[in-house]
Amino acid sequence: MKNTTNQITITYILVSLFLAIIYREVLKYIPTNPLSFNFINDILFIVSSGLLLKYVLYKNDIKNTEIYKKLKNTNNEIKESNERYDIVSKATSDIIWDWKIPEDKMSWNKGIEGIFGYKQEQVGISSKWWFDNIHPEDSIKMSIKLYSFIEQKTEKWQDQYRFKCADGSYKYVLDRGFILKDEKGKSVRMIGAIQDITKQKEEEQRLKLLETVITHTKDSVIITEADLNDGKIPNIVYVNPAFSNTSGYNSEEIIGRSPEIFNGPNSNDLEHQKLINAIKNKEECQVETLSYKKNNDAYWVNFSMLPVYNSDGELSHWVSIQRDISEEKKQEVEKEQLIKELTQNNKDLQQFSYITSHNLRAPLSNLTGLLNLIEDIPIENPELKEILDGFNKSTHLLNDTINDLVKVIIIKDSPSIEKEDLMLKDIFEDVFSQLDFLIGLHKPIIKFDFGEVSFLNTNKSYLESILLNLLTNSIKYKSEIRKLKINITAHQLEDSVVLIFNDNGIGIDLERNKDKIFGLYQRFHDYPDSKGLGLYLVKSQVETMGGTISIESKVNIGTTFTLTFKNK
């Protein structure tokens, strides 16, 4: 404004001087009174200079008006541009940055706080702050690309990298930049926009992982369109390599076709209709049917159809995960056949056991009777007497063995038994009375501790048999160098009763015999009257009553049996 005033003033002075000289030269030729001349001269000079000043000011006003209009238009354009800039920033949630390269000054919009959590006072004003917050693994690569771009003639740049947030975490960003150059082609300014693509990156990584799984899984994967194709299963849009390996079809042969081509004469029509109905109702479905390969070989397949919905909640595709179960089907048939054979064999063995035990009982009874008669006849021949004694002993052992086998058969043939509430004290008194002779002979120290357990809901005969076997074993396999001690305890454990039998006998070497402890005809000591049936019977009876039994034993230290019964 000051320059304009000076220009007007100088112009006015110069023009006035020019007019004064002109008037002076023109008016000196007019004959008149000197006073009139001076007066007229002054009037003419003032009027002329006034008109001239008015003209100059008029032109200046016109020029100023045009400048004002241009400035106003420019301001309006800048205002509209700023408004558009703010709207775009809000709409895109982008971070806008402006980098004045020669001065190395940067400015950021408010998006830096919304996306990365930095307050304005935390944001640096130079490019150093920008580069310092780029992930170390991305910084060098990004810097090289950026500075290479600045030195080139291209006008656009973009890159992806990780940028640190205010809380120390990192976000993936897409950064785009536009560079401005001066008249010499030197880069002077760069403006860019940063977009948060963390979710896209995570989704991209998840999709890559899913793609890897689908590609390398041994299960067949088929993706179809959403809608039925003329009442048929929707057309295929994707198959994984596993499906091609199983069916013999490559992807080019079946994409765009319906999976109906895998059906054959022995495919299950009911399962097929079940699948069609599920697709109509947009429901998940699982089907097991006979499918056919490209070479018409049949194979059993188990597969599910899962609906896939897009972000708008609309059905977009169906995914089918299929597994060849031909081998499982074959094994299932073999298993059923084996079960039938084993069941029949078991029945045959039971029948054989009944027949054997029944047929042996009659001759054994006769032999026993004859031996009893012979006992009353005096025999003087010592050799014959020895033979008869051995025969008598063997006959009784055979009779005991058959009786034990009958017990085993009865246990195995009775999947359910009658139970009743039994008083532990009474059961043990009955058992001790049956073992009165042995107990009196060996005089063991027996201690009881039943705690708060008074009753046990179980089968009386089985429980007595179990207790007789365990107590008899404790006495039979006692140590010869110390007094036999037997401790019997019982305690409640939730809805079960735990019985513990502990003795200080000769024990069993579990390292050698652990897997054979409860086996049939397993003997662990060289006792002549040991048959190897006791513990087998005990375990069978305990398990028949729904209980469990375990053993702990050490040689020359003792043995502990732990029995657990459901008490209800």
Side-chain angles (χ1 to χ4, degrees):
M1 191 70 179
K2 185 176 180 181
N3 291 335
T4 303
T5 303
N6 291 336
Q7 290 176 2
I8 294 173
T9 303
I10 293 171
T11 302
Y12 176 75
I13 293 172
L14 293 174
V15 172
S16 297
L17 290 173
F18 176 74
L19 290 175
I21 294 170
I22 294 298
Y23 289 148
R24 177 70 61 182
E25 291 298 324
V26 171
L27 294 177
K28 70 180 180 178
Y29 297 105
I30 301 173
T32 180
N33 189 298
L35 292 174
S36 298
F37 175 78
N38 290 334
F39 178 72
I40 293 171
N41 184 38
D42 291 338
I43 291 174
L44 289 173
F45 176 76
I46 292 171
V47 171
S48 299
S49 62
L51 293 173
L52 179 60
L53 179 60
K54 181 181 179 182
Y55 176 76
V56 171
L57 292 175
Y58 171 73
K59 287 292 186 179
N60 187 65
D61 287 341
I62 293 175
K63 184 179 180 181
N64 289 340
T65 301
E66 291 177 353
I67 292 172
Y68 174 75
K69 287 181 179 180
K70 289 181 180 180
L71 288 174
K72 185 176 181 182
N73 291 336
T74 301
N75 288 334
N76 289 335
E77 290 176 358
I78 293 173
K79 183 178 180 181
E80 290 177 1
S81 177
N82 289 336
E83 289 176 351
R84 285 196 297 269
Y85 163 78
D86 290 337
I87 292 172
V88 170
S89 298
K90 293 177 181 178
T92 61
S93 299
D94 288 351
I95 299 172
I96 308 299
W97 51 268
D98 188 349
W99 182 20
K100 294 179 181 178
I101 299 174
E103 298 89 351
D104 191 23
K105 289 186 178 181
M106 292 193 72
S107 59
W108 305 75
N109 75 335
K110 294 181 180 179
I112 194 75
E113 181 176 355
I115 295 179
F116 297 123
Y118 289 106
K119 296 180 180 180
Q120 287 298 325
E121 59 268 19
Q122 294 177 293
V123 180
I125 60 173
S126 69
S127 60
K128 184 179 183 303
W129 183 83
W130 179 23
F131 291 121
D132 285 347
N133 284 292
I134 295 174
H135 195 284
E137 295 178 4
D138 303 333
S139 179
I140 296 177
K141 179 188 69 174
M142 181 269 188
S143 300
I144 292 174
K145 290 178 65 175
L146 178 63
Y147 282 110
S148 297
F149 160 73
I150 292 174
E151 297 299 325
Q152 293 173 358
K153 295 181 180 180
T154 55
E155 294 183 342
K156 293 183 179 179
W157 162 85
Q158 72 175 31
D159 197 4
Q160 294 183 13
Y161 54 86
R162 285 164 289 179
F163 195 84
K164 185 190 290 185
C165 300
D167 60 3
S169 63
Y170 283 89
K171 287 187 177 182
Y172 279 96
V173 299
L174 172 63
D175 200 348
R176 298 184 181 93
F178 182 85
I179 201 161
L180 301 175
K181 301 177 182 291
D182 59 15
E183 62 277 2
K184 296 180 181 180
K186 183 179 179 182
S187 300
V188 295
R189 189 178 182 187
M190 190 172 180
I191 299 174
I194 295 177
Q195 182 181 2
D196 180 7
I197 59 169
T198 304
K199 290 184 178 180
Q200 294 93 313
K201 273 289 184 180
E202 291 174 350
E203 184 67 16
E204 181 181 323
Q205 292 173 354
R206 188 179 71 87
L207 290 175
K208 284 183 179 179
L209 180 61
L210 288 175
E211 182 182 1
T212 301
V213 172
I214 291 173
T215 303
H216 293 88
T217 183
K218 293 182 179 180
D219 291 339
S220 300
V221 178
I222 299 177
I223 301 177
T224 72
E225 296 174 348
D227 301 322
L228 292 170
N229 181 23
D230 294 330
K232 298 180 179 179
I233 302 173
N235 290 339
I236 298 170
V237 298
Y238 171 83
V239 294
N240 71 336
F243 179 81
S244 297
N245 294 336
T246 301
S247 67
Y249 291 95
N250 59 48
S251 59
E252 291 78 10
E253 291 176 306
I254 55 177
I255 287 179
R257 302 176 67 181
S258 172
E260 302 277 350
I261 63 174
F262 309 125
N263 290 341
N266 295 322
S267 297
N268 193 318
D269 293 335
L270 293 177
E271 292 288 278
H272 178 264
Q273 189 58 46
K274 172 184 172 183
L275 178 60
I276 294 294
N277 292 336
I279 294 174
K280 286 181 180 178
N281 297 325
K282 301 179 179 180
E283 297 174 343
E284 179 182 343
C285 180
Q286 187 159 348
V287 174
E288 187 175 288
T289 186
L290 203 63
S291 189
Y292 288 81
K293 301 181 180 181
K294 183 179 179 180
N295 60 4
N296 289 326
D297 287 347
Y299 67 101
W300 280 98
V301 61
N302 179 288
F303 68 93
S304 58
M305 288 287 283
L306 307 172
V308 178
Y309 295 89
N310 59 23
S311 57
D312 296 326
E314 300 173 344
L315 181 66
S316 61
H317 295 89
W318 288 90
V319 174
S320 176
I321 302 174
Q322 304 187 355
R323 175 170 294 181
D324 183 353
I325 59 170
S326 301
E327 189 62 30
E328 287 89 335
K329 278 288 184 180
K330 181 181 177 181
Q331 292 176 358
E332 187 177 323
V333 172
E334 293 176 351
K335 180 181 177 182
E336 290 177 357
Q337 183 62 31
L338 183 60
I339 290 173
K340 288 180 181 179
E341 293 176 359
L342 289 174
T343 302
Q344 186 60 45
N345 289 341
N346 188 46
K347 289 181 179 178
D348 293 342
L349 285 172
Q350 283 184 339
Q351 188 66 22
F352 174 78
S353 300
Y354 282 123
I355 293 173
T356 301
S357 61
H358 180 270
N359 291 344
L360 287 176
R361 277 188 175 280
L364 272 174
S365 298
N366 292 333
L367 285 173
T368 303
L370 290 172
L371 289 170
N372 289 334
L373 291 175
I374 293 174
E375 287 180 356
D376 297 332
I377 300 175
I379 298 174
E380 297 179 357
N381 189 331
E383 292 182 355
L384 178 60
K385 181 174 178 59
E386 184 178 354
I387 292 172
L388 291 174
D389 289 342
F391 184 69
N392 186 27
K393 186 176 182 180
S394 297
T395 301
H396 282 89
L397 285 175
L398 178 60
N399 187 57
D400 292 342
T401 300
I402 291 176
N403 289 333
D404 289 336
L405 286 173
V406 170
K407 291 180 182 178
V408 173
I409 293 170
I410 292 173
I411 293 171
K412 296 298 182 182
D413 200 33
S414 303
S416 61
I417 57 173
E418 293 183 0
K419 295 182 179 181
E420 57 181 314
D421 287 332
L422 303 173
M423 197 169 205
L424 286 178
K425 181 181 178 182
D426 294 342
I427 296 296
F428 274 94
E429 287 180 355
D430 291 343
V431 170
F432 289 145
S433 66
Q434 295 179 54
L435 298 176
D436 184 61
F437 175 76
L438 278 177
I439 294 173
L441 180 63
H442 298 282
K443 295 181 173 55
I445 299 173
I446 302 176
K447 293 183 179 180
F448 299 94
D449 182 8
F450 295 156
E452 298 180 356
V453 180
S454 300
F455 292 90
L456 180 61
N457 184 261
T458 188
N459 181 271
K460 181 179 180 182
S461 299
Y462 280 8
L463 184 59
E464 285 185 353
S465 175
I466 292 168
L467 298 177
L468 280 169
N469 268 298
L470 294 178
L471 287 170
T472 301
N473 282 348
S474 293
I475 294 173
K476 184 186 298 185
Y477 302 111
K478 67 183 183 65
S479 173
E480 298 297 334
I481 61 175
R482 56 180 173 270
K483 186 74 172 178
L484 175 62
K485 295 181 180 179
I486 300 174
N487 294 314
I488 304 172
T489 62
H491 64 271
Q492 191 80 27
L493 182 64
E494 296 180 352
D495 60 346
S496 300
V497 170
V498 180
L499 290 177
I500 299 176
F501 286 76
N502 172 262
D503 65 48
N504 63 343
I506 61 176
I508 303 172
D509 187 351
L510 291 183
E511 291 185 2
R512 294 177 54 189
N513 304 301
K514 187 172 185 180
D515 296 332
K516 300 183 293 184
I517 288 294
F518 299 105
L520 187 61
Y521 296 122
Q522 297 296 325
R523 299 172 62 185
F524 312 108
H525 304 288
D526 295 329
Y527 277 67
D529 59 343
S530 177
K531 295 175 288 186
L533 276 172
L535 292 182
Y536 177 80
L537 284 172
V538 168
K539 186 173 188 295
S540 298
Q541 290 167 331
V542 169
E543 290 180 347
T544 301
M545 293 189 292
T548 61
I549 183 171
S550 63
I551 181 174
E552 293 181 7
S553 185
K554 291 184 179 181
V555 177
N556 294 324
I557 292 179
T559 302
T560 300
F561 288 96
T562 302
L563 295 82
T564 304
F565 299 97
K566 293 287 185 181
N567 197 23
K568 61 178 181 178

